[in-house]
Amino acid sequence: MTKLYFVRHGLTANNAKHAFNGSYSDHGLLPEGQQQASELGKFLQETHFEKTYVSPQKRAIETAQFILKENQLSSKELVTDTRLKEINFGQWDGVSIDSKEGHPQLHNLRHYPEQYDPSEFAGESYPKLIQRGISFIQQLDYTANTNYLIVSHGVTLTTLLQVLKGKELAKIREDGLLANTSLSVLETTDGQQFQEKLWNYITY
């Protein structure tokens, strides 16, 4: 049995000011975000992780480091993977979300992902995001009883986890976006079928 521990990064400046926080944005954690990650690390301090995979963006790397700082059972080594980066918002990255209220593609991003078309601002579509996320999942080793820690981003993880649970594209946002420093756990024996053990759990 393999357990995948998925964590969204802690609070950043873009989160705090309600701005698009995509694959181009590379802020580190705010002090509050560091505290969130430390709290989650304490919650997971007795869990042994065979490997820790992270997005190469600073906020994900720092979150993983704060989590593992509390853990004496796991290696501190991080394996970065570009497939875990946040969705690319193109020209919207770093821009105030409120400034795009009323734009049909913001509405689709949140509520109708199957209709989301970011080509106008050179963004990334949900199908392309799903493709790279599934590619990452498929390369993991599921042959042993293993725990993996995977630290990534809100839209990327929300999308990937819902797809792994079998949801169709139109329904991947119906449960909302995963919270900062939330923990979600999926379990699998073969890397094909996944069962939810924990969803969007926060420790702060």
Side-chain angles (χ1 to χ4, degrees), residues 22-40:
S23 62
Y24 291 149
S25 294
D26 206 20
H27 299 288
L29 300 181
L30 293 174
E32 183 179 345
Q34 296 174 357
Q35 182 62 34
Q36 292 170 347
S38 291
E39 289 297 324
L40 180 55

Side-chain angles (χ1 to χ4, degrees), residues 17-72:
K17 65 184 184 182
H18 204 227
F20 289 100
N21 205 27
S23 62
Y24 291 149
S25 294
D26 206 20
H27 299 288
L29 300 181
L30 293 174
E32 183 179 345
Q34 296 174 357
Q35 182 62 34
Q36 292 170 347
S38 291
E39 289 297 324
L40 180 55
K42 291 170 186 172
F43 178 76
L44 293 171
Q45 62 184 342
E46 295 182 5
T47 303
H48 172 260
F49 295 109
E50 186 68 26
K51 284 188 178 179
T52 297
Y53 293 95
V54 297
S55 156
Q57 294 175 262
K58 286 179 186 175
R59 55 192 184 271
I61 291 172
E62 289 183 10
T63 299
Q65 288 171 336
F66 275 99
I67 291 171
L68 292 175
K69 186 177 180 181
E70 305 293 336
N71 192 308
Q72 302 304 314

Side-chain angles (χ1 to χ4, degrees), residues 1 13 21 37 92 103 112 115 120-122 133 145 148 166 190 203:
M1 185 71 69
N21 205 27
W92 281 14
H103 194 294
Y112 298 101
Q115 297 179 33
E120 172 192 335
F121 44 93
N145 292 330
Y148 295 124
D190 58 5
T203 56

Side-chain angles (χ1 to χ4, degrees), residues 119-134:
S119 56
E120 172 192 335
F121 44 93
E124 180 179 23
S125 68
Y126 276 107
K128 287 196 172 181
L129 175 64
I130 291 168
Q131 185 179 40
R132 62 177 166 94
I134 294 298

Side-chain angles (χ1 to χ4, degrees), residues 55-92:
S55 156
Q57 294 175 262
K58 286 179 186 175
R59 55 192 184 271
I61 291 172
E62 289 183 10
T63 299
Q65 288 171 336
F66 275 99
I67 291 171
L68 292 175
K69 186 177 180 181
E70 305 293 336
N71 192 308
Q72 302 304 314
L73 304 177
S74 307
S75 166
K76 309 300 188 219
E77 180 184 357
L78 306 180
V79 180
T80 59
D81 196 306
T82 58
R83 291 171 292 186
L84 293 174
K85 292 182 76 169
E86 181 59 299
I87 192 170
N88 181 1
F89 287 119
Q91 294 154 12
W92 281 14

